Amino acid sequence: MTAVDFVAVGHVTLDHTPGGTRPGGAAYYAAITARRLGLRVGLLTAVGPDFPREALPADIEVVGVPSERTTTFRIARGRPGPGGGMRELAVLARATDLEAAALPGAWRDAPMGVLAPVAGEVDPAFGAAFEETSLLVLPQGWMRQRGKGGILSPQPWEDAELVL
């Protein structure tokens, strides 16, 4: 592993939308954006064999935790009613959790990084692995609970003190 300027940690996803299936996830978008800004990027994620590897530019260094499946979402319009037109998000599959032990040593001193869970996959204690990194936290994945049919709804962020 080489040293990087920016580390993104979280699941890259497959998003089934009305317009088709596409890659997604906060870590995916953060890694792509950092690359476009000219940074050397490392991405720690977990995907299954169904994820299209060509969706990640070759110059993004990817460490993949083995997983039988890729985290997959269905994104659709919600039911009509008060607040109608809201999107409905459902988890159809979930990849393996991410723990700090999988983080390459050369990445622990990256100047910048982001913890970007989408489905609670990033260990809340992960931030401690970055001693000198300016670390951004996108907590959406810690603030979702999975209900019937995989439908996601809000939940309190219980580990906020540990993460922050």
Side-chain angles (χ1 to χ4, degrees):
M1 291 290 115
T2 60
V4 295
D5 303 312
F6 181 84
V7 176
V9 178
H11 284 170
V12 295
T13 65
L14 289 174
D15 295 344
H16 297 301
T17 72
T21 300
R22 63 179 187 223
Y28 173 82
Y29 294 118
I32 296 290
T33 300
R35 176 191 167 268
R36 288 181 180 163
L37 291 171
L39 300 175
R40 294 172 299 156
V41 177
L43 171 63
L44 175 63
T45 192
V47 294
D50 56 340
F51 187 82
R53 300 290 178 167
E54 67 277 3
L56 290 165
D59 57 348
I60 292 179
E61 200 165 341
V62 178
V63 169
V65 173
S67 184
E68 292 182 14
R69 61 186 59 98
T70 299
T71 296
T72 304
F73 289 103
R74 182 185 68 239
I75 302 169
R77 288 275 182 210
R79 298 185 184 107
M86 294 175 58
R87 76 177 186 168
E88 182 177 87
L89 189 61
V91 177
L92 305 178
R94 190 175 175 286
T96 304
D97 284 342
L98 302 174
E99 297 180 359
L103 186 69
W107 293 6
R108 292 174 185 262
D109 294 325
M112 296 175 287
V114 63
L115 300 181
V118 292
E121 74 277 9
V122 177
D123 179 352
F126 208 112
F130 296 100
E131 290 184 25
E132 298 295 323
T133 301
S134 292
L135 196 59
L136 174 68
V137 175
L138 304 175
Q140 67 181 356
W142 290 308
M143 299 172 70
R144 295 173 167 165
Q145 63 184 345
R146 187 176 180 177
K148 185 177 178 182
I151 303 296
L152 294 176
S153 61
Q155 73 173 7
W157 186 14
E158 296 177 0
D159 294 320
E161 287 186 28
L162 178 61
V163 175
L164 300 174

